[in-house]
Amino acid sequence: MSNTKNNLESMSGLQDKGRRRFVLGASAMLALAALPFPKNAFAKAISESLTQLSGKVFDLSIDYKTVNFTGKSARATVVNQVLPAPILRWKEGETVTLRVKNNLDEDSSIHWHGIILPTEMDGVPGLSFDGIKPGETFEYQFKVQQNGTYWYHSHSGFQEQTGVYGPIIIDPAEPDPVVYDREYVVMLSDWSDTPPEKIYANLKKQSTYYNYSERTVSDLFTDIRKHGLINTWKARAMWNDMRMSDRDISDVTGAAYTFLMNGKTPEQGWSALFKQGEKVRLRFINAAAMTIFDVRIPGLKMTVVATDGQNVQPVEVDEFRMGVAETYDVIVEPEEGNAYCIFAQNIDRTGFTTGNLTSDAHLVAAVPSMDPAPILGHGDMGMSMEGMDHGDMDHGAMGHGSMDHGSMDHGPMGHVEMDHGSMAMGAPVLGLAGFGSTAEIKHADAEYGPHIDMRADAPQNGLHDPGIGLRNHQAEYNRKVLTYADLKGLHPTYDKRQPSREIQLHLTGNMHRYMWSINGVRFEDAEPLVLEYGERVRFTLVNDTMMTHPMHLHGMWSDLETGDPDFIPRKHTVIVQPGSTISYLVTADAIGKWAYHCHLLYHMPGMFLKVVVR
Amino acid sequence: MKNINVKGFTLSLIAALFMSGFAQAGGGDDPLLTKVMFDEVERGVGSNDPTSFNIQAWVGKDINKFWLKTKGEYEDADDKELEIQALYSRAIAPYWDAQIGVRVDLEPSPSRSWAVLGLQGLAPYFFEIDAALFIGDEGRTAMRVSAEYEMLLTQKLILSPEVKVNFYGQNDADLGIGSGLSDLSTGLRLRYEIKREFAPYIGVEWARKFGNTAEFARNEGKKVEGTQVVIGLKAWF
C-alpha cells in the first residue's frame, strides 16, 4: 500500500474499543495472540477483515485489479488494491485530506456518501468538479462535521458496480450515546462478471433479461385450481392489460450477481467473533449497485440505533430492508457458545449473502433458506384497491392516456417543480412538519408519452409499509420488520420550522424500454431544481413505477417525516416504495450544485436531477 | 417507386437519426445500441422442405432507431424469396413504435418495391404485433400482420404460437399473387433458452393460400396448403 502515514489497522473487524488505537505490528499481533481463541481462527479472522485507514491524511489510489468471485477471473476497479475499499476512520471535528489518484484509463471520482461538505468536495463529475482524469490526483479536504457510519464510492461511469466502494466510520467528538463493546462493519454489495455497460445494454434490449422468476404455465394451472378460472383471469387481467409482470421485482437479479458481505461470497463466508456478554455494534452498509437487501440474524434481536449515520431512538426488530446506499447500525447481544448467521437476502429472493457471527471460529451457523419471492399487488401500482377488488375496474382509467390531463395546467410551472404553494388553488395548504404531505397528487404533462408506462393515481403512503415481500412477516413468522414509521431521531429535530413550500417529484419510467426519469424528464433534458439558501422545503416523492427506488440527495439532510415533529430522523437516502409516496423536509443550508438521484446504478443516468442552492 | 434509391434513403435515415440526438452529450442514459435478432432461422425436416430465415436488426437509441428486417426462403433455384425492409422507427407510445421506410422484394422475379408504414409493439395480453401497410407502384398495395405470443412452460422452455397474414390490393399475376386475403400461416415453436441470446427450437408450421393466390398456385401445379415440421435457431446479440 502506498500509504505510510496512516495507521494501518487491518484488524478493524476484530478490534474492541480498548484496542482501537493499536498500530498493527509485532506488538499488536502479540496482543491479539493473547486472546483466548485458537491460532488458526485468528489467521482466518485477519484475512477476512476489512482494511482500515485512520488519521487525517489519506492516500487512495484507484486501480484495475483481477478478481475471482465466481470461479472465473474478471476485472474489477478497486481502491488501494482491496474490495471493498479500505474503511476510512475519521474523527468528528477534524479536517481530513484525501488524495485520490486515478490509475484507470477512464475518468474517476470519489463521492463521500452522506457527508456534509462544500459542494466542490462532493465528488460528482459535472457538478462538483470535472472528475479525476486518468493518471491525475485530486485532493479532497474538508472539515468533518458529523459522526456515524457512512461510505464512499465512485460517481463516474458504472465503477460502483465494479468495486469502487468502501466504508467510512466517523468517531464522535462527544461520548457516543450508543454503548457497545465491539464493532464490525458489514458491507453488502453485488458483483457480476458481466461488465456493467453490458448489463445496462442487456436491460435496454430486453428488460426482463435477468428475470427468471416469471409466471409459467404451471403457475397458471395452479392458480386456476386454487382460485378458479374466473378469479384467475380477473387477477391477471390488469397485469396483462398493462403489459407488466407482477414478478418484476429487481432489474438485475441473482442470475447476474454474486452477493458479497465484506467482499466475501456466500461460499467463502465472512466471519466475525464475539465474547460472552458483549454488545456488538454491526454497521450495515448497502454498497450494492442494484440490490436491495433484507437483513436478519435468526435467533438474535437487533436494536437499530442509527440509520444513515444518524442516531435514532433504539428500536428492536427482527428484520430490516436496506435500500441501496442506506446504512443501519444495530446492536446485538449474542450468547456465548452460539454461532449466528447474518443473513442478507435480496429483495426478489434470487440470492443472498451471509456472515457467521460466532463465539468460536469452529462454530458455523446454519444458513436459513430464503423467503418466498414477493409478488406485486395492485396497491404496488399505486391504484385504488377498492376498484380492483370488485374486478370491474375500468382499465382505461389506469394510465393509458385516457386521463384528462388537459385540465391540469402545469405548463407554465416547468416540468421539474410543482410548487403547490403558488398554485392557484386558494391559500397554500401544507401538511405540518413531521407529518408529511397533504397535497394532491398531480402528474406533469411530461409524464405522458412513450417514455412513461404508468402513473400512480392513488398512491399509498409508504411510511408504515415494510415493503413488498416483508408485509406478512410479522403474521407469518412473528418477525418484527422495521418500517420508516419506527424511526425517530435520538436528537431533537434540528430545524423545527414549517416548510415554506412543497416540491412534488414523480419517479417515472418505462420499464419495458428501460427508460428512467423524474417528472417524466430524464437528467439530460431536465432543468435544475432551485432552492433558496436557508429555506425549509418539503420534498414529496411519488413513485409512478412498480420498482423500489432509493433516492439520495447530496449535500443536505433528508429529514424523514415519520410522524413525530419533535424527533425527525435525518437520512441521506430514502426508499420510495412502488406506487407509493414519502415525504421529507430539507433545509437548504448548503450553497452549491448537488446531485439528487435514484441510487440504483442503472436508473441513475436518467433518474437524476441537479439541485442548485443559491 | 421502381427507381427508389434504397441506399440513399437508408443513409439519410441514419443521418437523421444521428442528428436527432447523438450530438448531445450528457446524462449518458441513452447510449447508441445495436441489436441483431435471428428471430427464425429454420429448416423443414422433410427432404423437399425449404430453408427460411427472418432476421432483424436495429441501431439507435430509446426513441429513434434505424431498423432492418429481412426474410427469405429457399426451396430450390426456381422457388426462392428474399425481402428487405429498411425503416426509421420511432417510439410513439409506451409499447408501440411507428415505422416508415422501404421494402424491396429481390426474389422472386420480377422484383417489387414498396413504401412501408408500420406499427410494431406489444399489445395488451403480451401479444407481439408487427403490422405494416405496403404501397407499391402501379397501384399495388399490401398489408401484413403478424402476432406472436410467448408461453413460459418453464423459465427457459418457451412455447410460442404465431400467426401471419398477407393481404393484397390487386392481382399480381407475374408473381402468382391474388387480391384480398392471400395467405395465412400459423406456427408453434418450442424453444429452449440455453442463454437469453441463444435458443434452438423445434416447431410446426401450417400455411395456406387463399382466393386468387390459391387459384394461381393450382394453375401452376403448386401446393395450396402445407404443414411442415421445422428445426431452427432463435438468437440475438
Side-chain angles (χ1 to χ4, degrees):
Chain A
M1 212 155 302
S2 64
N3 191 316
T4 50
K5 286 189 181 143
N6 301 324
N7 296 337
L8 184 75
E9 300 171 72
S10 76
M11 285 298 295
S12 67
L14 257 183
Q15 66 196 301
D16 60 32
K17 281 181 120 179
R19 282 199 311 280
R20 188 176 293 165
R21 303 290 163 231
F22 273 21
V23 178
L24 185 74
S27 59
M29 290 308 288
L30 281 173
L32 292 167
L35 286 167
F37 293 114
K39 214 175 171 184
N40 61 346
F42 264 117
K44 193 160 186 277
I46 288 168
S47 69
E48 286 174 354
S49 299
L50 299 174
T51 307
Q52 175 169 295
L53 308 174
S54 58
K56 295 181 187 175
V57 180
F58 300 83
D59 283 299
L60 303 176
S61 88
I62 304 172
D63 293 272
Y64 295 112
K65 189 186 181 187
T66 301
V67 295
N68 189 334
F69 291 113
T70 62
K72 281 195 291 190
S73 291
R75 188 171 79 164
T77 51
V78 297
V79 177
N80 289 13
Q81 294 299 320
V82 288
L83 189 162
I87 299 170
L88 303 181
R89 191 144 204 145
W90 302 342
K91 175 91 177 169
E92 184 179 7
E94 289 185 350
T95 294
V96 291
T97 303
L98 303 116
R99 295 187 291 248
V100 180
K101 170 107 193 282
N102 175 16
N103 290 323
L104 308 181
D105 51 24
E106 59 182 32
D107 284 16
S108 192
S109 57
I110 295 289
H111 163 61
W112 319 99
H113 189 113
I115 306 298
I116 300 302
L117 38 60
T119 186
E120 65 276 11
M121 292 293 136
D122 197 42
V124 179
L127 295 183
S128 333
F129 70 149
D130 292 334
I132 312 173
K133 304 291 166 200
E136 289 187 0
T137 299
F138 185 84
E139 186 171 297
Y140 294 86
Q141 191 172 64
F142 47 87
K143 188 175 181 203
V144 179
Q145 311 167 52
Q146 63 204 96
N147 63 72
T149 306
Y150 303 90
W151 65 299
Y152 62 106
H153 59 82
S154 168
H155 224 288
S156 298
F158 293 130
Q159 290 162 15
E160 272 172 87
Q161 175 79 85
T162 51
V164 183
Y165 49 80
I168 295 171
I169 301 175
I170 308 173
D171 291 312
E174 304 294 321
D176 198 331
V178 179
V179 177
Y180 59 99
D181 306 298
R182 184 187 288 269
E183 61 174 327
Y184 291 100
V185 166
V186 184
M187 185 169 246
L188 309 175
S189 62
D190 47 24
W191 172 266
S192 178
D193 287 344
T194 308
E197 295 76 14
K198 174 93 164 117
I199 293 176
Y200 191 60
N202 284 343
L203 291 168
K204 289 262 191 195
K205 292 177 187 181
Q206 183 182 353
S207 61
T208 58
Y209 189 96
Y210 295 106
N211 185 354
Y212 287 98
S213 307
E214 295 280 16
R215 281 196 185 275
T216 62
V217 172
S218 67
D219 292 332
L220 177 66
F221 291 136
T222 307
D223 282 7
I224 291 172
R225 210 165 40 240
K226 265 195 208 159
H227 308 298
L229 182 64
I230 302 295
N231 287 332
T232 302
W233 176 269
K234 278 184 181 170
R236 294 187 176 204
M238 185 273 289
W239 298 98
N240 283 328
D241 204 36
M242 293 196 74
R243 289 149 284 190
M244 290 180 179
S245 163
D246 58 357
R247 304 290 185 95
D248 185 1
I249 309 296
S250 304
D251 301 342
V252 191
T253 66
Y257 282 142
T258 300
F259 301 105
L260 306 180
M261 184 176 290
N262 287 340
K264 300 290 168 192
T265 66
E267 289 73 29
Q268 291 169 322
W270 175 73
S271 185
L273 295 167
F274 66 88
K275 285 191 282 188
Q276 175 59 27
E278 284 183 332
K279 287 180 190 294
V280 182
R281 179 178 194 161
L282 300 174
R283 299 174 183 266
F284 285 96
I285 303 167
N286 186 348
M290 286 296 284
T291 305
I292 292 166
F293 286 104
D294 293 334
V295 176
R296 62 196 168 95
I297 308 176
L300 273 188
K301 292 280 180 193
M302 299 182 284
T303 304
V304 176
V305 293
T307 179
D308 293 2
Q310 299 297 295
N311 292 325
V312 294
Q313 296 173 22
V315 51
E316 194 179 83
V317 300
D318 297 292
E319 190 166 19
F320 61 91
R321 170 159 292 172
M322 294 190 81
V324 171
E326 285 190 295
T327 78
Y328 281 95
D329 287 32
V330 306
I331 301 289
V332 293
E333 297 182 62
E335 295 284 331
E336 172 95 61
N338 285 325
Y340 302 87
C341 178
I342 304 171
F343 185 67
Q345 56 185 341
N346 80 341
I347 189 173
D348 63 73
R349 316 298 186 228
T350 55
F352 61 86
T353 185
T354 69
N356 190 41
L357 180 64
T358 180
S359 60
D360 176 343
H362 296 103
L363 278 178
V364 178
V367 176
S369 51
M370 286 189 286
D371 295 313
I375 296 173
L376 294 169
H378 295 139
D380 299 313
M381 311 285 285
M383 288 189 240
S384 157
M385 305 293 281
E386 222 172 283
M388 297 314 301
D389 292 344
H390 294 96
D392 57 358
M393 195 165 162
D394 173 16
H395 295 298
M398 292 185 337
H400 295 310
S402 68
M403 253 186 83
D404 182 12
H405 57 277
S407 66
M408 299 194 300
D409 187 17
H410 298 147
M413 298 184 338
H415 296 310
V416 166
E417 190 176 340
M418 293 207 284
D419 186 345
H420 293 280
S422 68
M423 277 179 101
M425 286 164 48
V429 183
L430 289 180
L432 288 172
F435 295 103
S437 176
T438 55
E440 196 184 340
I441 303 299
K442 300 265 186 177
H443 299 287
D445 288 349
E447 271 203 67
Y448 295 82
H451 59 304
I452 305 294
D453 61 10
M454 80 174 241
R455 285 164 292 278
D457 289 328
Q460 311 164 75
N461 186 324
L463 190 61
H464 296 270
D465 183 7
I468 50 164
L470 297 177
R471 288 172 190 146
N472 63 340
H473 281 197
Q474 181 73 64
E476 190 120 339
Y477 311 113
N478 199 25
R479 288 186 216 149
K480 158 69 184 165
V481 182
L482 183 77
T483 70
Y484 278 167
D486 296 321
L487 298 175
K488 310 285 175 211
L490 185 65
H491 190 282
T493 301
Y494 287 88
D495 185 345
K496 292 207 166 172
R497 286 179 294 165
Q498 294 296 325
S500 60
R501 63 186 178 120
E502 179 167 327
I503 298 163
Q504 191 176 106
L505 296 170
H506 290 244
L507 311 179
T508 49
N510 181 330
M511 289 188 303
H512 185 64
R513 297 185 188 276
Y514 211 73
M515 301 170 73
W516 302 103
S517 51
I518 294 176
N519 285 350
V521 185
R522 63 182 178 144
F523 173 54
E524 199 170 307
D525 301 328
E527 294 295 319
L529 173 62
V530 178
L531 305 179
E532 298 299 331
Y533 180 74
E535 73 172 331
R536 179 79 162 160
V537 296
R538 171 177 288 130
F539 281 57
T540 295
L541 297 176
V542 181
N543 189 344
D544 283 331
T545 77
M546 46 187 247
M547 311 306 294
T548 302
H549 299 285
M551 295 299 294
H552 171 43
L553 174 63
H554 289 222
M556 291 155 277
W557 290 109
S558 303
D559 298 351
L560 189 61
E561 298 185 273
T562 58
D564 185 344
D566 298 326
F567 294 94
I568 298 178
R570 303 200 296 193
K571 285 181 67 60
H572 52 59
T573 306
V574 174
I575 282 184
V576 195
Q577 311 277 8
S580 299
T581 69
I582 198 90
S583 291
Y584 48 80
L585 301 169
V586 173
T587 297
D589 54 3
I591 296 268
K593 291 180 279 186
W594 304 101
Y596 183 54
H597 59 90
C598 177
H599 221 284
L600 297 176
L601 190 60
Y602 304 114
H603 293 187
M604 189 171 92
M607 198 180 275
F608 191 118
L609 203 52
K610 174 179 167 180
V611 173
V612 175
V613 180
R614 61 173 189 204
Chain B
M1 288 303 293
K2 204 151 212 161
N3 300 322
I4 197 157
N5 183 342
V6 175
K7 201 170 154 193
F9 182 83
T10 306
L11 287 175
S12 55
L13 263 180
I14 292 174
L17 201 59
F18 274 78
M19 302 297 276
S20 66
F22 299 166
Q24 296 172 17
D29 65 310
D30 193 9
L32 179 69
L33 297 173
T34 306
K35 187 177 184 185
V36 179
M37 295 153 280
F38 294 80
D39 280 346
E40 287 167 16
V41 178
E42 66 190 27
R43 203 189 141 74
V45 294
S47 55
N48 295 323
D49 285 348
T51 302
S52 64
F53 67 87
N54 182 346
I55 299 173
Q56 307 198 4
W58 57 254
V59 54
K61 298 189 160 197
D62 289 336
I63 300 294
N64 297 297
K65 291 180 171 74
F66 170 67
W67 207 300
L68 271 178
K69 299 180 182 179
T70 72
K71 65 193 218 60
E73 191 172 299
Y74 183 90
E75 204 165 324
D76 56 54
D78 294 332
D79 234 333
K80 51 191 177 183
E81 285 174 24
L82 178 61
E83 168 194 316
I84 299 173
Q85 294 184 43
L87 306 164
Y88 163 67
S89 176
R90 183 176 174 83
I92 55 160
Y95 298 99
W96 295 100
D97 295 341
Q99 301 182 330
I100 180 169
V102 295
R103 163 182 157 190
V104 178
D105 302 343
L106 297 168
E107 294 285 350
S109 195
S111 158
R112 298 280 182 242
S113 299
W114 313 80
V116 184
L117 277 171
L119 191 65
Q120 184 169 4
L122 191 65
Y125 288 77
F126 296 95
F127 288 99
E128 287 172 41
I129 306 291
D130 189 352
L133 186 67
F134 304 99
I135 301 159
D137 36 22
E138 294 164 19
R140 272 190 281 271
T141 53
M143 192 173 86
R144 178 186 293 157
V145 179
S146 73
E148 194 178 344
Y149 188 78
E150 300 203 327
M151 294 167 71
L152 274 64
L153 302 183
T154 72
Q155 298 298 328
K156 294 184 166 188
L157 189 65
I158 297 160
L159 187 66
S160 179
E162 184 186 23
V163 181
K164 279 180 264 192
V165 285
N166 282 297
F167 299 89
Y168 289 88
Q170 64 186 48
N171 289 342
D172 189 344
D174 290 345
L175 295 172
I177 289 169
S179 66
L181 172 61
S182 162
D183 59 87
L184 181 150
S185 65
T186 179
L188 191 63
R189 289 173 177 77
L190 179 67
R191 73 173 189 269
Y192 184 76
E193 290 190 350
I194 293 171
K195 52 190 271 190
R196 280 281 188 231
E197 298 90 338
F198 190 85
Y201 64 79
I202 55 168
V204 58
E205 172 120 349
W206 173 84
R208 192 192 144 88
K209 296 180 168 70
F210 293 92
N212 291 346
T213 305
E215 211 52 42
F216 285 126
R218 280 190 202 101
N219 293 345
E220 285 189 34
K222 286 185 180 169
K223 281 188 298 182
V224 167
E225 184 185 341
T227 305
Q228 59 170 329
V229 175
V230 296
I231 54 170
L233 178 70
K234 182 180 170 77
W236 63 268
F237 58 87

